[in-house]
C-alpha cells in the first residue's frame, strides 16, 4: 500500500506515543503495521441466541479480508439479547434498550482505539440497528454484515418457524392441539444458526440496510449457514479499504434518498413494524431529516409484493432461492420506485450494483407482479387520531378487517392481559389495550408477540383488536396497533382510556380514536397522576433518557 489511508490511527505516531505502541506490540503489531489503517471488526457472537451463535467464524473471515487488503484488523465483541427467548417475560424490557447499549459500546471502542474503519456484524433484531447507529456516530468508513436467516424447520412435511410455536400455545390453550403436538412444534421450529426465518424484524432490517447501501449487494438474502455468507464476510473486510481509498463515509451513503429506498423495500417486502422505529433512530444518528410522516407518504405509493410470513406463505430463504432482495430491488428500480443514483459501500451507485443483479426466477410466486400485488399500497400503516396524536403503527398485510369498533378492555401490564386471554375473558369484538409499556413506561417498550400469537392461535386474530404503547414483533400478525404515542407514562391519551370506552381502528382513514369528547379527555387528564419512572440500573437510565416512539425511541441528545 503506497497511499497512507489512515484517518485516526495517526494518533500512534511519534515519540510521545511510544507507550501506546508498546501496548499494541503486545497484541502482535509490528513497525510495518503502524503505517497501515486500523480496522475494527465488531462481533456480536453469542450463545444466547441462534441468530448470533455463528458470527464468530464470520468475523474471523472479515479479519482475513482486512489483512489481505493491507490493513490491520482488531476484533472486539459486544452484547446481544434474544427477543424470542425473552418474549413474554420481564426480560423483554431489555430488548430495545440493548439496541442503544450495542450502539454505544461499538462507538466507544472505535473512538477509544482510534480505528480508521469498521466492519460490524449483526444477526438478531436489535444488534442490526445497534450496529448501524454506531456506524453513524463513529463517522468512519464502515460496512455492515448480516449474519443471515435461519433455515425453516419442518414438521410432517410442512415448514414451520418460531412463530409457529407461539401460535401453537394459543391452539393448545384452545384445545385444538395436544401437549405432545405442541412439544413436537417446539422441537422442530429452529433447526440451526440464523435469524428468525420469516419477514420478521431481523430479515426486515437486513433488507433495509442493503437498500440503504450499507451492506454488500445480495448479502442480506444469503442464509446463515451458506458459503455465500462466508464470502460476504471476507469481502466486507476488503470493502472497507476501498471506502478508505475513495474517501466514502457513512454520511455520503445514508442520505434522505437512501432512507426512502430502505422504506420502499420494507413496504414492498411487507416488513416488520419495528423498521419504522429503527430507521427513525438510524436517521437521527446520521442527522437525516426523516419523520414518521415520510413512512406514510411512501406507504401510499409502494405496493406490497411479497408473500412472506408472518401473514404470507413463504420464508426468507424462499426469497433467496428465487433471486433475493437484489432481484426485488432490481424490479423496483426498473419500475421507478428507487433512487438509483444513491452511493453504496461498493463505491458504486445502487443502479450500478443492480446491473449485475439477477432477475426473479420465472414461475416463482414468492414475489407478486406489479399488476397483481398482495396489496396496492404498503402494509405498514401510520395511524393518528385522538388516541395517538403523534402516531401509531399497524401492519395490515393479510388482515381482512379494515375497520373495527369495540369496547376497550384495559390492562396496565402484559401479564394481566395474557391471563385474561388465557382465561377466555376477552371476547370477539373487544379492543384489548395494554398500556404503560412504552419506551419510558415499560421501561423498554417490550414486544407483544406472545399475546398476539395466542390470540391468533385461539382464532381471535382479526376478531379482537390489540392496542399498545409497546411494540410488536416482526412475527406478529392480526388486528394489532403498536407504538401508540404519546405513551401512557407521559400522559398520552391512552392513559385516559377507561374500561368500556368505544375504540375505533380505521386503517382506511388511518385513524385511531376513542369515542370520548375533548372535554372529558381533559377532565380525565386533570385527575391523572403519572406513575413514578423506573430508576434502577440500565432500565432506569433508559426510562429517564428515551424519547417517544414516534421519534425512534432514541437516547442521545442530538437535535432534541
Amino acid at each position: 500500500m503506497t497511499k497512507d489511508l489512515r484517518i485516526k490511527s495517526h494518533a500512534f505516531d511519534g515519540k510521545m506515543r511510544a507507550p501506546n505502541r508498546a501496548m499494541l506490540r503486545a497484541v502482535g503489531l509490528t513497525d510495518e503495521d503502524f503505517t497501515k489503517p486500523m480496522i475494527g471488526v465488531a462481533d456480536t457472537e453469542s450463545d444466547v441466541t441462534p441468530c448470533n451463535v455463528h458470527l464468530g467464524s464470520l468475523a474471523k473471515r472479515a479479519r482475513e479480508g482486512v489483512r489481505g487488503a493491507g490493513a490491520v484488523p482488531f476484533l472486539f465483541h459486544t452484547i446481544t439479547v434474544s427477543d424470542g427467548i425473552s418474549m413474554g417475560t420481564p426480560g423483554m424490557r431489555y430488548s430495545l434498550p440493548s439496541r442503544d447499549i450495542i450502539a454505544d459500546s461499538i462507538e466507544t471502542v472505535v473512538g477509544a482505539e482510534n480505528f480508521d474503519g469498521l466492519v460490524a456484524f449483526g444477526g438478531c433484531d436489535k444488534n442490526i440497528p445497534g450496529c448501524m447507529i454506531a456506524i453513524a456516530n463513529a463517522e468512519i468508513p464502515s460496512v455492515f454484515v448480516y449474519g443471515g436467516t435461519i433455515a425453516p424447520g419442518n414438521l410432517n412435511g410442512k415448514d414451520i418457524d418460531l412463530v409457529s410455536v407461539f401460535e401453537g400455545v394459543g391452539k393448545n390453550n384452545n384445545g385444538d392441539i395436544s401437549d405432545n403436538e405442541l412439544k413436537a412444534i417446539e422441537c422442530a421450529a429452529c433447526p440451526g444458526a440464523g435469524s428468525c426465518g420469516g419477514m420478521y424484524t431481523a430479515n426486515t432490517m437486513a433488507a433495509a440496510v442493503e437498500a440503504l447501501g450499507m451492506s454488500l449487494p445480495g448479502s442480506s438474502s444469503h442464509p446463515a449457514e451458506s458459503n455465500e455468507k462466508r464470502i460476504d464476510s471476507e469481502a466486507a473486510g476488503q470493502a472497507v479499504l476501498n471506502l478508505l481509498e475513495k474517501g466514502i463515509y457513512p454520511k455520503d451513503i445514508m442520505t434522505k434518498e437512501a432512507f426512502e429506498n430502505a422504506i420502499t423495500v420494507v413496504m414492498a417486502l411487507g416488513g416488520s413494524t419495528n423498521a419504522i422505529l429503527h430507521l427513525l433512530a438510524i436517521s437521527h444518528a446520521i442527522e437525516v431529516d426523516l419523520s414518521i410522516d415520510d413512512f406514510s407518504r411512501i406507504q401510499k405509493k409502494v405496493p406490497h409484493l411479497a408473500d412472506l410470513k408472518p401473514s404470507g406463505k413463504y420464508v426468507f430463504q424462499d426469497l433467496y432461492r428465487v433471486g433475493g432482495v437484489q432481484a426485488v430491488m432490481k424490479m423496483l428500480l426498473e419500475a421507478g420506485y428507487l433512487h438509483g443514483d444513491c452511493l453504496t459501500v461498493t463505491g458504486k451507485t445502487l443502479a450500478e450494483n443492480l446491473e449485475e443483479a439477477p432477475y426473479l426466477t420465472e414461475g416463482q410466486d414468492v414475489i407478486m407482479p406489479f399488476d397483481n400485488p398482495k396489496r396496492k399500497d404498503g402494509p405498514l400503516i401510520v395511524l393518528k387520531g385522538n388516541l395517538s396524536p403523534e402516531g401509531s403503527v399497524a401492519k395490515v398485510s393479510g388482515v381482512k378487517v379494515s375497520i373495527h369498533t369495540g369496547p376497550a378492555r384495559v390492562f396496565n401490564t402484559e401479564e394481566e392481559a395474557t391471563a385474561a386471554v388465557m382465561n377466555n375473558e376477552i371476547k370477539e369484538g373487544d379492543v384489548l389495550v395494554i398500556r404503560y409499556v412504552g419506551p419510558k413506561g415499560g421501561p423498554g417498550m417490550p414486544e407483544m408477540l406472545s399475546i398476539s400469537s395466542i390470540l391468533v392461535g385461539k382464532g381471535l386474530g382479526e376478531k379482537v383488536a390489540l392496542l399498545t404503547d409497546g411494540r410488536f414483533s416482526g412475527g406478529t400478525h392480526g388486528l394489532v396497533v403498536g407504538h401508540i404515542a404519546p405513551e401512557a407514562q407521559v400522559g398520552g391519551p391512552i392513559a385516559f382510556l377507561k374500561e368500556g370506552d368505544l375504540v375505533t381502528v380505521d386503517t382506511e382513514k388511518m385513524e385511531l380514536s376513542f369515542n370520548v369528547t375533548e372535554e372529558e379527555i381533559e377532565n380525565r387528564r386533570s385527575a391523572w397522576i403519572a406513575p413514578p419512572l423506573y430508576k434502577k440500573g440500565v432500565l432506569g437510565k433508559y426510562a429517564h433518557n428515551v424519547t417517544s416512539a414516534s421519534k425512534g425511541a432514541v437516547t442521545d441528545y442530538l437535535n432534541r
Side-chain angles (χ1 to χ4, degrees):
M1 185 182 299
T2 56
K3 181 180 178 182
D4 189 350
L5 300 181
R6 293 178 297 166
I7 299 172
K8 294 188 175 183
S9 59
H10 283 293
F12 299 110
D13 291 348
K15 293 179 181 180
M16 290 293 293
R17 295 294 172 257
N20 312 64
R21 293 194 298 274
M23 294 285 287
L24 288 171
R25 290 182 191 280
V27 299
L29 267 66
T30 65
D31 284 348
E32 183 182 2
D33 288 330
F34 287 113
T35 68
K36 300 175 181 178
M38 297 182 180
I39 309 299
V41 178
D43 180 10
T44 54
E45 180 188 27
S46 175
D47 290 344
V48 305
T49 172
C51 310
N52 293 57
V53 70
H54 62 305
L55 293 186
S57 62
L58 299 180
K60 290 176 182 176
R61 294 292 293 263
R63 291 173 74 188
E64 293 171 9
V66 169
R67 193 168 288 284
V72 184
F74 290 87
L75 180 67
F76 65 98
H77 299 81
T78 188
I79 66 159
T80 187
V81 300
S82 171
D83 289 4
I85 295 171
S86 63
M87 196 72 66
T89 77
M92 190 65 221
R93 297 179 301 166
Y94 288 89
S95 170
L96 187 58
S98 78
R99 180 192 73 181
D100 294 52
I101 296 168
I102 291 163
D104 291 348
S105 65
I106 293 174
E107 180 195 346
T108 297
V109 175
V110 169
E113 301 301 319
N114 294 291
F115 291 147
D116 301 298
L118 174 65
V119 182
F121 282 83
C124 203
D125 296 9
K126 304 308 173 297
N127 49 68
I128 300 174
C131 287
M132 293 305 302
I133 293 168
I135 285 171
N137 286 328
E139 298 180 329
I140 55 174
S142 304
V143 177
F144 174 77
V145 184
Y146 177 44
T149 187
I150 195 172
N154 191 277
L155 183 64
N156 301 324
K158 180 181 178 183
D159 284 348
I160 62 172
D161 60 16
L162 183 63
V163 175
S164 306
V165 191
F166 281 106
E167 293 179 4
V169 174
K171 292 178 181 178
N172 178 260
N173 177 257
N174 220 34
D176 296 330
I177 62 173
S178 68
D179 291 353
N180 287 339
E181 288 173 307
L182 177 59
K183 180 67 177 294
I185 296 170
E186 172 191 333
C187 292
C190 300
S195 302
C196 296
M199 199 61 204
Y200 309 146
T201 301
N203 285 328
T204 296
M205 289 309 301
V209 171
E210 182 172 339
L212 263 177
M214 287 302 300
S215 60
L216 293 174
S219 61
S220 67
S221 308
H222 295 154
E225 297 181 323
S226 67
N227 189 52
E228 290 100 325
K229 185 54 61 183
R230 291 184 281 275
I231 294 170
D232 290 339
S233 303
E234 188 165 341
Q238 299 165 346
V240 173
L241 272 294
N242 183 49
L243 293 173
L244 281 167
E245 179 75 39
K246 291 181 168 19
I248 297 173
Y249 288 73
K251 63 181 174 57
D252 300 317
I253 297 172
M254 289 193 278
T255 62
K256 179 67 174 280
E257 291 74 20
F259 278 98
E260 290 178 346
N261 285 345
I263 296 168
T264 296
V265 169
V266 168
M267 292 291 179
L269 292 176
S272 166
T273 53
N274 285 310
I276 296 180
L277 198 71
H278 297 324
L279 288 172
L280 285 171
I282 298 165
S283 68
H284 181 269
I286 203 72
E287 298 186 76
V288 164
D289 183 18
L290 190 73
S291 77
I292 198 168
D293 295 328
D294 289 307
F295 289 84
S296 286
R297 171 174 56 84
I298 295 171
Q299 179 270 333
K300 291 180 175 66
K301 66 179 184 178
V302 177
H304 178 202
L305 303 175
D307 191 15
L308 293 169
K309 289 178 178 289
S311 57
K313 177 180 179 182
Y314 294 104
V315 295
F316 206 63
Q317 187 161 296
D318 294 315
L319 176 59
Y320 158 72
R321 290 186 178 122
V322 301
V325 172
Q326 278 262 288
V328 177
M329 288 171 62
K330 188 164 190 165
M331 179 181 178
L332 290 166
L333 178 68
E334 291 181 351
Y337 287 99
L338 296 178
H339 302 285
D341 57 350
C342 288
L343 195 60
T344 74
V345 291
T346 65
K348 299 178 181 178
T349 66
L350 184 73
E352 288 172 330
N353 289 342
L354 291 176
E355 287 177 5
E356 302 175 7
Y359 283 98
L360 288 165
T361 303
E362 288 189 18
Q364 62 81 35
D365 61 351
V366 180
I367 302 296
M368 308 304 290
F370 288 113
D371 59 2
N372 185 31
K374 293 281 291 181
R375 181 185 165 94
K376 64 180 178 59
D377 53 8
L380 299 184
I381 307 292
V382 175
L383 308 173
K384 292 187 177 182
N386 69 348
L387 192 52
S388 59
E390 291 181 4
S392 56
V393 180
K395 183 176 179 179
V396 296
S397 52
V399 178
K400 298 180 177 64
V401 177
S402 57
I403 302 174
H404 179 102
T405 298
R409 302 298 312 280
V410 183
F411 299 89
N412 291 343
T413 70
E414 182 185 3
E415 292 77 14
E416 293 171 335
T418 300
V421 173
M422 296 294 278
N423 292 331
N424 298 314
E425 297 170 14
I426 304 301
K427 307 299 182 183
E428 181 176 333
D430 285 346
V431 176
L432 178 59
V433 179
I434 305 174
R435 65 186 179 188
Y436 293 105
V437 290
K440 288 181 176 292
M445 204 182 180
E447 292 180 351
M448 305 290 157
L449 174 61
S450 180
I451 189 169
S452 65
S453 297
I454 291 169
L455 287 170
V456 171
K458 291 173 72 69
L460 296 173
E462 295 190 24
K463 298 175 182 177
V464 169
L466 174 57
L467 275 57
T468 182
D469 52 5
R471 297 182 295 126
F472 290 108
S473 163
T476 296
H477 62 112
L479 188 56
V480 299
V481 182
H483 304 203
I484 292 175
E487 62 174 294
Q489 179 68 46
V490 300
I494 189 174
F496 313 136
L497 264 177
K498 290 186 176 181
E499 190 83 4
D501 285 345
L502 285 180
V503 176
T504 296
V505 180
D506 189 334
T507 59
E508 293 180 359
K509 293 182 179 179
M510 299 185 184
E511 292 181 359
L512 181 65
S513 59
F514 63 133
N515 190 23
V516 175
T517 65
E518 285 299 317
E519 182 180 8
E520 175 60 18
I521 292 173
E522 288 306 313
N523 288 337
R524 295 181 186 183
R525 188 191 307 275
S526 63
W528 174 77
I529 298 174
L533 270 182
Y534 195 87
K535 295 180 179 179
K536 186 175 176 60
V538 66
L539 292 179
K541 295 185 184 81
Y542 190 82
H544 282 77
N545 285 284
V546 69
T547 64
S548 169
S550 65
K551 295 182 179 180
V554 298
T555 55
D556 63 33
Y557 287 85
L558 181 68
N559 298 327
R560 284 207 181 190

